[in-house]
Amino acid sequence: MSEHIKSVADELPIDAVGMWQIVPGGRHGFKLEGEALTDFVRRCIAELLSRSAVPVVGGGDTGYFWIEQKQYGSKPQDIIDNVVREWLANGAKDEDPGGLWFALPEMCKTRWK
């Protein structure tokens, strides 16, 4: 499981990593539910943040690929707690690709060509 969590974060130099990838990875890939799934999600987010990722959503028609979501906090533990709290409040379901992602900060400065 630890290797999988690292491999999720290995994607960051190439593309953002979405909650829609993290949650099913634990639920379907490792058959986790309840507290075990929540712990897996926390560990994935912690690994992403340890590699300098920030929470983002798609830029839509702003001209940017990603827009940082600062409402989750600035400290890693605050971000983890707030993202997980929101996910649990929304039913702890498999997320939609239109939801929250994690990207390297420079991706938030990249514009559509």
Side-chain angles (χ1 to χ4, degrees), residues 18-110:
M19 287 291 287
W20 71 275
Q21 298 164 293
I22 294 169
V23 175
R27 178 172 281 136
H28 305 295
F30 293 101
K31 308 294 185 215
L32 303 174
E33 285 297 336
E35 285 299 316
L37 179 58
T38 300
D39 182 62
F40 175 83
V41 171
R42 285 181 169 281
R43 289 176 59 199
C44 284
I45 295 170
E47 182 67 23
L48 292 163
L49 297 176
S50 78
R51 304 222 199 156
S52 301
V54 295
V56 298
V57 294
D61 61 0
T62 66
Y64 291 93
F65 283 107
W66 302 104
I67 300 170
E68 185 174 355
Q69 300 300 291
K70 295 183 180 190
Q71 73 269 23
Y72 293 104
S74 58
K75 297 176 185 171
Q77 193 59 54
D78 292 341
I79 294 169
I80 294 165
D81 290 345
N82 289 323
V83 169
V84 169
R85 186 177 302 115
E86 180 179 87
W87 171 67
L88 291 171
N90 289 330
K93 60 186 183 226
D94 289 354
E95 294 290 317
D96 174 295
L100 189 67
W101 295 63
F102 295 86
L104 296 175
E106 57 267 23
M107 291 180 156
C108 297
K109 297 174 181 135
T110 304

